[in-house]
Amino acid sequence: MSEADTPLVGPGIRRRRRALELTLAEVARRAGLSTPFLSQIENGRSRPSMGSLQRIADALDTTAVQLLAAAEAPRPVDVVRGTSASVRESGAEGGDAGRMRPLVRGHQRLHALEFTGYHDWGREFRHRNDEILYVADGSAEVEADGNFYRLERGDTLYCAGGLVHRWRPIEPGTRVLVVGIADHVQATDEQGG
């Protein structure tokens, strides 16, 4: 997978930053990045790791998924090939560097991501809407709503919107798919009568 195939997130970061009326230096400081590096990202001369993208998203009060989605226009039908590019996750040491690959591109109502290798156990997530974690290969540990779960190959964990959760792979070669309703969608409960 070529790094050149990784989606360019810079223009979406710049639009979000300007919409919030923040300077480049303010966002860089909030994200713990250098101003020149953030400028290179915004101008498409550099691509951030997933960890850096998450820190930028936090600084902009959004999510990394939303910044990735804003990198491409939505399509009514889209095929994402298994050879499509992934983004490196930060914090991994050695040969099991974590990767994240969007399985749905553009600003859609659904997000789907494939994670392989290392994933930061220290990072907790809380999404507006529901999502599922599916272990395609290997095994993973999940903490959701204060409870711990061990998921094996083929297992799925459903997590309702608003619940704090985090996860990590337990063994090398683990592949986790995360699918959820995008944060910009207002999901409603419909009671059948």
Side-chain angles (χ1 to χ4, degrees):
M1 287 176 239
S2 167
E3 192 72 14
D5 294 333
T6 305
L8 287 172
V9 295
I13 291 171
R14 183 183 306 112
R15 281 191 301 275
R16 176 74 179 170
R17 177 178 61 78
R18 288 180 176 168
L20 295 173
E21 298 180 353
L22 296 171
T23 67
L24 195 65
E26 287 173 314
V27 174
R29 181 185 49 75
R30 288 181 181 184
L33 302 172
S34 73
T35 302
F37 179 57
L38 183 57
S39 176
Q40 289 176 348
I41 292 169
E42 281 196 1
N43 292 307
R45 293 190 308 269
S46 185
R47 290 177 172 82
S49 69
M50 191 59 190
S52 294
L53 185 60
Q54 287 172 337
R55 289 195 306 275
I56 293 167
D58 290 345
L60 295 172
D61 296 323
T62 189
T63 66
V65 171
Q66 291 298 332
L67 291 176
L68 284 167
E72 298 188 43
R75 302 169 181 133
V77 175
D78 188 25
V79 174
V80 178
R81 301 287 179 196
T83 58
S84 66
S86 61
V87 177
R88 181 181 57 82
E89 290 213 77
S90 66
E93 302 204 7
D96 199 24
R99 307 288 297 180
M100 188 278 303
R101 181 172 68 101
L103 302 176
V104 174
R105 296 183 287 199
H107 192 69
Q108 308 289 12
R109 291 182 294 258
L110 178 76
H111 71 256
L113 307 166
E114 175 188 57
F115 292 89
T116 55
Y118 173 84
H119 185 73
D120 185 7
W121 178 248
R123 182 164 177 88
E124 293 182 331
F125 298 91
R126 180 191 311 245
H127 304 292
R128 174 180 180 167
N129 295 311
D130 302 354
E131 74 176 13
I132 62 167
L133 284 81
Y134 171 75
V135 178
D137 291 306
S139 59
E141 179 179 25
V142 180
E143 180 184 9
D145 200 26
N147 297 304
F148 289 85
Y149 305 90
R150 181 182 174 107
L151 303 179
E152 302 294 334
R153 183 175 188 244
D155 291 347
T156 301
L157 179 131
Y158 165 82
C159 190
L163 293 181
V164 174
H165 60 284
R166 63 185 179 153
W167 67 271
R168 66 179 166 194
I170 295 174
E171 62 186 88
T174 296
R175 188 166 54 109
V176 175
L177 306 180
V178 177
V179 180
I181 301 168
D183 285 340
H184 70 275
V185 172
Q186 176 65 42
T188 59
D189 290 330
E190 290 187 24
Q191 300 294 327

